């Protein structure tokens, strides 16, 4: 992986054969992954993979912001997602980041069960519809929804194929409420 690239949580940046896991990363089965949204750099002196926060001056969420959020849990009538980045703001978020996406706010069409649309660890692009007393999210517009998802079986990235997402590693096919640019978004324009 090239350096100075913007990465998302869970994204592979290196391997434990090449480097040690440094700040902003974690190691899992010999793979070093980003733990935060940030810029991937190599600490050559200590041979460490490091993900630096985009900047240290934090930003407060506001209504109407378009954000990236990582799905934590999918319940019967809502999705809980952690807001990890505000699009267009190269800054960390301060304060509460625990967002709720109600089943009725997922899509313009009727959704009965959120688990047919989203899965834990998915990265979604969402609109903030409320900040207080709790952060509420919506993904009804076509540029909103999942921008990155991992295979439920083997955790490899899923690729868009027709109406479905497919795993190149194990062949598993999965459905998601994807954003229109799934797989082609540019993280360096975050
Ligand atoms: Zn798979």
């Amino acid at each position: 992986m090239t350096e100075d690239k913007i990465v998302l949580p869970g994204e592979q940046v290196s391997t434990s054969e090449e480097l040690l896991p440094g700040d902003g990363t974690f190691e899992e089965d010999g793979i070093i992954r980003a733990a935060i949204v940030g810029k991937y750099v190599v600490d050559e002196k200590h041979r460490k993979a490091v993900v630096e926060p985009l900047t240290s001056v934090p930003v407060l969420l506001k209504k109407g912001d378009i954000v990236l959020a990582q799905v934590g849990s999918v319940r019967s009538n809502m999705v809980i997602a952690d807001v990890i980045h505000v699009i267009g703001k190269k800054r960390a978020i301060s304060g509460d980041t625990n967002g709720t996406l109600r089943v009725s706010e997922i899509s313009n069409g009727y959704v009965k069960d959120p688990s047919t649309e989203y899965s834990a660890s998915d990265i979604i692009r969402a609109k903030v519809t409320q900040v207080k007393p709790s952060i509420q999210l919506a993904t009804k517009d076509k540029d909103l929804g999942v921008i990155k998802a991992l295979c439920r079986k083997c955790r490899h990235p899923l690729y868009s194929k027709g109406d479905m997402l497919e795993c190149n590693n194990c062949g598993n096919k999965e459905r998601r409420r994807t954003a229109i640019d799934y797989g082609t978004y540019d993280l360096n324009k975050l």
Side-chain angles (χ1 to χ4, degrees), residues 30-105:
I31 306 291
I32 301 175
R33 298 183 187 278
I36 59 170
V37 182
K39 191 172 76 171
Y40 172 57
V41 294
V42 175
D43 174 354
E44 293 287 354
K45 191 176 162 199
H46 302 101
R47 297 303 301 158
K48 275 185 181 175
V50 175
V51 176
E52 297 175 340
L54 292 172
T55 122
S56 53
V57 184
V59 61
L60 279 170
L61 281 181
K62 42 181 214 309
K63 189 178 171 181
D65 279 348
I66 304 296
V67 297
L68 296 184
Q70 184 160 34
V71 174
S73 63
V74 180
R75 303 183 186 172
S76 61
N77 59 351
M78 70 175 84
V79 170
I80 307 298
D82 186 37
V83 178
I84 56 175
H85 183 70
V86 182
I87 304 282
K89 299 276 194 325
K90 293 202 166 188
R91 303 197 247 160
I93 302 163
S94 70
D96 186 20
T97 57
N98 189 31
T100 300
L101 175 60
R102 294 183 193 284
V103 64
S104 59
E105 297 298 318

Side-chain angles (χ1 to χ4, degrees), residues 151 154 167 170:
C151 175
C154 75
C167 175
C170 76

Side-chain angles (χ1 to χ4, degrees), residues 18-185:
E18 294 173 81
L19 296 169
L20 294 166
D23 287 349
T25 74
F26 66 95
E27 187 192 329
E28 185 183 67
D29 300 331
I31 306 291
I32 301 175
R33 298 183 187 278
I36 59 170
V37 182
K39 191 172 76 171
Y40 172 57
V41 294
V42 175
D43 174 354
E44 293 287 354
K45 191 176 162 199
H46 302 101
R47 297 303 301 158
K48 275 185 181 175
V50 175
V51 176
E52 297 175 340
L54 292 172
T55 122
S56 53
V57 184
V59 61
L60 279 170
L61 281 181
K62 42 181 214 309
K63 189 178 171 181
D65 279 348
I66 304 296
V67 297
L68 296 184
Q70 184 160 34
V71 174
S73 63
V74 180
R75 303 183 186 172
S76 61
N77 59 351
M78 70 175 84
V79 170
I80 307 298
D82 186 37
V83 178
I84 56 175
H85 183 70
V86 182
I87 304 282
K89 299 276 194 325
K90 293 202 166 188
R91 303 197 247 160
I93 302 163
S94 70
D96 186 20
T97 57
N98 189 31
T100 300
L101 175 60
R102 294 183 193 284
V103 64
S104 59
E105 297 298 318
I106 290 176
S107 166
N108 280 320
Y110 173 67
V111 175
K112 188 180 174 202
D113 179 358
S115 71
T116 61
E117 312 301 310
Y118 295 132
S119 189
S121 91
D122 285 354
I123 306 282
I124 61 171
R125 187 190 290 122
K127 183 187 269 183
V128 176
T129 58
Q130 177 190 297
V131 175
K132 284 195 160 72
S134 62
I135 299 169
Q136 298 291 326
L137 305 171
T139 58
K140 286 185 169 184
D141 298 342
K142 64 178 189 233
D143 57 336
L144 305 178
V146 177
I147 62 160
K148 186 175 179 118
L150 301 180
C151 175
R152 286 184 176 124
K153 287 186 180 162
C154 75
R155 312 302 295 159
H156 279 69
L158 292 170
Y159 294 89
S160 183
K161 199 167 180 189
D163 290 345
M164 301 288 283
L165 299 180
E166 190 172 318
C167 175
N168 280 356
N169 184 54
C170 76
N172 190 33
K173 289 191 177 68
E174 301 185 22
R175 216 198 84 77
R176 292 289 198 285
R177 153 73 191 175
T178 49
I180 196 159
D181 60 344
Y182 183 95
T184 61
Y185 63 89

